[in-house]
Amino acid sequence: MLALASLAQMPVNAQEGKETTAQTADPSFAAPTAPLNPEQVASVPLRQALTDWPQLARYRADNAALPPPAAGERRVVFYGDSITDGWGRVDGTVFFPGKPYVNRGISGQTTAQMLVRFRQDVIDLKPAAVVILAGTNDIAGNTGPATLAMIEDNLRSMAELARVNGIRVVLASVLPVSDYPWQPGLHPAGKVRELNAWLRGYARDTGAIYLDYHGAMSNAEGGMDASLAEDGVHPTPAGYALMAPLAQRAIDEALAGGTGGKSPAK
């Protein structure tokens, strides 16, 4: 099982669990203008970020080994960042035992990275539904500054790709957060609420299912209590236990063809 510390939202090398400190220190890291010095070239996390920015290699072998859904099986892909990545991999957590659900979270990822790998890590797995949980790392600036409009565009594109491939969409709210331990002082609670309002409206207008984690987990400061997330970002086992039935109800509604009482937008 992975320790919670290895699943921090900070950009990491997914296979080695090492923090990419150069990226968090310099927002222009993804497109350096100066030659790399020998120490940078020797940095495995930095080299990985430059050569496989969306981390397509993370699940490539797992995807190849995953058989197609069996007859009658309704596979669901959970797609996201470290909050998804840690589900069932952090000590004390379980990931929907007995269900044909597949975890394709990658710690530290933003919606831009997730959009690039959406085909191989979602569409090609032939799921009946996808649960998309993303956006908090964009607000934190993990891959550089991102406006809410940029985040919305990436989420919209993922949802459109899913729909055109016959995959039902569950759009999860961004979890509450009042501060990022690796990027303090951003005061993200307001942006999180604004993004969630857009997600709710977009889900309503397109026939997707909106999965509201935020309403069940938020405290008075717009963050999470330590019982649900010790570091204010990553759920504890109790946090995941609270999220699980909410996710299951949203999946059940999506697979039943529910549209939240609205017809999909044309």
Side-chain angles (χ1 to χ4, degrees), residues 45-229:
L46 179 61
R47 187 168 63 251
Q48 178 274 322
L50 290 173
T51 59
D52 186 13
W53 179 74
Q55 293 182 251
L56 298 174
R58 168 70 186 276
Y59 289 112
R60 185 173 288 138
D62 291 337
N63 292 343
L66 186 68
E73 178 182 313
R74 308 193 81 183
R75 176 175 291 166
V76 176
V77 173
F78 278 68
Y79 196 59
D81 50 43
S82 66
I83 294 166
T84 299
D85 199 353
W87 206 334
R89 296 167 178 161
V90 168
D91 287 338
T93 68
V94 293
F95 185 71
F96 301 93
K99 297 285 187 179
Y101 297 172
V102 180
N103 186 326
R104 288 297 180 263
I106 295 183
S107 179
Q109 287 216 324
T110 60
T111 57
Q113 292 169 302
M114 290 173 59
L115 178 57
V116 174
R117 66 183 181 92
F118 194 83
R119 181 167 298 278
Q120 74 159 41
D121 287 346
V122 179
I123 296 170
D124 291 349
L125 305 187
K126 307 298 182 184
V130 60
V131 179
I132 301 172
L133 172 55
T136 199
N137 287 331
D138 302 66
I139 293 172
N142 276 20
T143 53
T147 65
L148 289 180
M150 292 164 62
I151 303 169
E152 292 162 9
D153 283 347
N154 291 332
L155 289 165
R156 185 184 292 111
S157 293
M158 284 187 269
E160 289 173 353
L161 283 168
R163 285 198 302 272
V164 79
N165 283 279
I167 302 168
R168 295 193 177 274
V169 178
V170 176
L171 292 170
S173 70
V174 175
L175 269 59
V177 58
S178 56
D179 202 14
Y180 296 111
W182 67 96
Q183 198 72 281
L186 292 182
H187 309 293
K191 285 187 176 181
V192 168
R193 285 192 290 267
E194 189 175 348
L195 179 57
N196 286 340
W198 178 85
L199 281 163
R200 185 188 295 271
Y202 179 75
R204 179 192 62 236
D205 293 343
T206 61
I209 303 302
Y210 178 66
L211 168 51
D212 186 10
Y213 292 134
H214 191 282
M217 303 178 79
S218 180
N219 60 23
E221 290 73 40
M224 287 185 284
D225 293 336
S227 61
L228 297 180

